[in-house]
Amino acid sequence: MTLLRRWFAAVLLALFSCTAAVAAYKPEKVVYHVNDASNATAALKNIRNHLDASPRASIVLVAHGAGIDFLLDGAIDKEGTPYDVAVRALVKRGVGFRVCNNTLQGRQIDPGRVLPEAVIVPSGVAELSRLQAQEGYVYIKP
């Protein structure tokens, strides 16, 4: 009987440990803010590194103002590398991209120029606020 009690105690301890580990996991949700396209390369690299370290993280990049430029069709970095390749690779890893419609309208940019992987939202700053206040996203500004 003592052996049975020990075995039962060991099984219970293992179950409680697993349950505690599962209960302790909290989804990591992060919003990256880009309002200057000169930071886009750094932001994309930060996001890749972030996902390499934390593959289950939920990541959204919100762009507004001059920050939307890298999410427009045909945009290239200072080395001449197209941004769309990096954006598509990150979308495949679950990253969301949001573009500010106020910026598009204010700068008179045709929404058709926005990469199809990006979602146009009414306001970039309102989206940043919503993600943080309502959905619990942590804010990062590269």
Side-chain angles (χ1 to χ4, degrees):
M1 196 65 148
T2 305
L3 183 60
L4 183 59
R5 283 186 179 163
R6 285 186 191 161
W7 177 83
F8 186 68
V11 168
L12 281 178
L13 182 62
L15 283 173
F16 286 132
S17 296
C18 290
T19 302
V22 169
Y25 174 75
K26 192 171 183 179
E28 182 181 348
K29 301 188 299 186
V30 181
V31 58
Y32 281 78
H33 176 200
V34 176
N35 64 346
D36 181 348
S38 68
N39 293 337
T41 300
L44 296 172
K45 183 177 180 181
N46 287 166
I47 293 170
R48 276 192 303 273
N49 290 342
H50 193 148
L51 287 171
D52 288 346
S54 188
R56 297 193 310 177
S58 175
I59 297 177
V60 175
L61 181 146
V62 177
H64 67 94
I68 72 163
D69 294 353
F70 82 101
L71 291 170
L72 299 177
D73 189 41
I76 56 174
D77 67 15
K78 63 183 178 183
E79 309 296 324
T81 305
Y83 281 109
D84 63 345
V85 175
V87 169
R88 286 187 183 107
L90 288 173
V91 167
K92 285 181 182 175
R93 294 181 74 181
V95 176
F97 289 86
R98 315 270 167 82
V99 172
C100 175
N101 191 54
N102 287 338
T103 298
L104 294 173
Q105 289 179 348
R107 293 178 55 195
Q108 299 178 345
I109 297 172
D110 178 358
R113 290 190 54 208
V114 175
L115 294 178
E117 292 80 10
V119 174
I120 298 173
V121 295
S123 166
V125 291
E127 184 70 359
L128 287 167
S129 175
R130 186 187 69 73
L131 287 169
Q132 291 175 79
Q134 295 179 13
E135 295 192 31
Y137 276 70
V138 175
Y139 175 87
I140 295 181
K141 177 95 168 92

